[in-house]
Amino acid sequence: MTAVAEIPLLREPSFRNLYLASAVSQFGTQVGYVAMPLLAVTALNAGPGEVGLLSALTTITVLVLGLPAGAWVDRVRRRPVMIATDLVRAVLLASVPVAWWLGALTMAQLYGVAIVTGVGTLFFDVASQSTVPHLVGRDRLTAANSVLVGTNAAMDVGGRSAAGVLVTLAGAPVAILLDALTYLWSAVWLRRISKPEPRPALVPGERFGRQIGEGVRYLFGNRILVAIAAQGGLSNLGFPLCSTLLPVLLVNELGQPAWVLGAYLAVGGLGSLAGSSTAHLIGRRLGRGRGVCVVGLATAPFAGLVPLVGWSVWVSAAAWSLLCFRTGVNNVLLVSFRQQVTPDPMLGRVNATMRLILMGAVGVGGLLAGLLGEVWGTGTAMWAGASIMALSWIPIWLSPLRRET
């Protein structure tokens, strides 16, 4: 066991293939994250309500399918699920630039693509998070998640920066086509994972609903997992309240070019990269729970600077980066803890239940952003999001995780 543990993770073929699939598809995802609302705004004259709904639809499907997805993933091998969802998302995203070039693009199509790609992302992410412990072992989860989350954060920076430039030079449809191609790349590398995946052990006659209930009860029966869910839910509610209407605020209201939006979001990606890269050191020095609390408390005051984007775009972006730093730390330390304490046969269900809470919060945040933006203006939505993010560390502080080493 010692010899295996000494092998660098990226020299292990199966994990390396997962890493290569994840890195490039994450780059494309961030390109699409910027390009899709910009296409809606520039090509279809979408307003705050329509942009908010578009953002929400990519995640709101989790509220309907989140729990069944986890139970279903626990019944099947996970790699084929990831490959299939990559291919489906590639085809759907490619349909957007095709429709635009044919002059047939509508908001209804964008909404439909957002819904189905959101379903695909749900199944992919549940399967992927459930696969990592199988590929690396539970004793290397923090190291593996640090590599994956850190690289994803780097792709956030590259993808969002590239999106702003690409949209400016070639247009949003080309950027969305690039996003589709990265999913094809991901499917190719996932097919190359060679480590055998055991067939799930199913209890004969066990009902689907009972399986779902077991995952929910396991999560809510663990005080620390409940605290992680509460912290993540608050954070994921606050972030879209600030970010969803940025295309409307920066491009339409403040008259900034598209590259400024890309640069703003890329600065946040730098914060996530720094947080995920240092999370292992923070956890080792302070303890996982204490580290999350200290970072949360230290970054909370800067949330009040994020809504001041009209006064200074770059002061707001710097504050946004600090909040993203906190997210990078949490994504490594808290996800690793969740994977470590959850039994293999229940990983899909617990991950799906957590994702239901986290991504459901993102969807609700997107809808609230659109509502508040339409009724009271974009500034109100951003102040609401900043207030929630400033307080999101409190559930961890009140939980036993604060003393976790």
Side-chain angles (χ1 to χ4, degrees):
M1 186 171 76
T2 303
V4 173
E6 291 176 351
I7 300 174
L9 282 169
L10 291 178
R11 290 188 181 180
E12 296 183 358
S14 292
F15 180 78
R16 183 173 64 246
N17 291 334
L18 176 66
Y19 170 83
L20 290 171
S22 174
V24 175
S25 66
Q26 182 66 17
F27 178 89
T29 297
Q30 296 311 313
V31 170
Y33 178 80
V34 176
M36 190 73 82
L38 278 175
L39 181 62
V41 170
T42 57
L44 300 174
N45 297 314
E50 291 170 305
V51 173
L53 178 59
L54 181 64
S55 172
L57 287 175
T58 60
T59 55
I60 205 73
T61 51
V62 177
L63 294 176
V64 178
L65 297 175
L67 295 179
W72 189 76
V73 166
D74 278 341
R75 287 171 169 247
V76 299
R77 290 189 172 96
R78 288 144 185 171
R79 186 169 65 100
V81 174
M82 293 188 283
I83 294 171
T85 55
D86 270 341
L87 296 176
V88 169
R89 288 181 291 176
V91 171
L92 286 171
L93 286 167
S95 74
V96 173
V98 170
W100 181 83
W101 286 321
L102 294 175
L105 183 66
T106 64
M107 283 303 300
Q109 179 180 351
L110 292 185
Y111 291 151
V113 170
I115 291 171
V116 182
T117 56
V119 173
T121 299
L122 165 66
F123 278 86
F124 182 95
D125 288 350
V126 170
S128 178
Q129 288 187 348
S130 303
T131 297
V132 174
H134 164 67
L135 294 181
V136 305
R138 293 177 182 273
D139 58 331
R140 307 185 76 187
L141 281 172
T142 300
N145 283 321
S146 184
V147 170
L148 291 171
V149 174
T151 301
N152 284 349
M155 293 302 104
D156 289 354
V157 177
R160 293 175 185 183
S161 299
V165 175
L166 189 58
V167 169
T168 301
L169 296 178
V174 173
I176 294 171
L177 179 60
L178 176 62
D179 186 12
L181 292 175
T182 62
Y183 284 120
L184 291 178
W185 166 283
S186 175
V188 168
W189 285 99
L190 289 172
R191 281 183 57 85
R192 295 168 63 93
I193 293 177
S194 58
K195 187 170 184 177
E197 184 177 358
R199 184 181 297 275
L202 301 177
V203 178
E206 186 175 23
R207 294 183 177 179
F208 200 67
R210 181 172 181 176
Q211 278 190 297
I212 293 174
E214 286 177 350
V216 174
R217 286 192 296 273
Y218 185 87
L219 190 153
F220 285 99
N222 186 306
R223 290 181 59 196
I224 294 178
L225 291 180
V226 169
I228 292 173
Q231 183 277 331
L234 287 173
S235 182
N236 283 13
L237 179 64
F239 264 92
L241 279 166
C242 289
S243 64
T244 297
L245 299 182
L246 275 175
V248 177
L249 178 59
L250 287 175
V251 178
N252 277 10
E253 297 182 11
L254 298 179
Q256 298 286 352
W259 72 262
V260 172
L261 173 63
Y264 186 107
L265 296 173
V267 168
L270 285 172
S272 296
L273 174 60
S276 56
S277 300
T278 57
H280 184 62
L281 297 176
I282 292 172
R284 188 165 57 188
R285 185 68 176 266
L286 300 176
R288 287 176 296 182
R290 254 192 314 273
V292 170
C293 287
V294 169
V295 171
L297 180 59
T299 56
F302 295 96
L305 297 176
V306 172
L308 302 181
V309 63
W311 170 66
S312 172
V313 172
W314 304 117
V315 168
S316 173
W320 180 257
S321 180
L322 290 173
L323 296 179
C324 291
F325 173 88
R326 178 182 66 185
T327 299
V329 172
N330 292 349
N331 283 349
V332 172
L333 298 182
L334 298 183
V335 170
S336 298
F337 181 84
R338 185 174 85 224
Q339 292 170 329
Q340 187 174 357
V341 301
T342 305
D344 280 339
M346 204 174 290
L347 272 169
R349 283 165 285 173
V350 170
N351 286 333
T353 305
M354 189 71 74
R355 187 168 179 80
L356 170 67
I357 297 167
L358 301 185
M359 299 311 296
V362 172
V364 172
L367 288 175
L368 284 177
L371 176 63
L372 293 176
E374 287 283 359
V375 178
W376 287 294
T378 55
T380 300
M382 294 194 74
W383 277 110
S387 301
I388 294 170
M389 287 190 290
L391 300 174
S392 63
W393 58 276
I394 293 177
I396 301 295
W397 180 264
L398 297 176
S399 78
L401 185 58
R402 184 179 64 179
R403 298 180 291 275
E404 179 69 25
T405 59

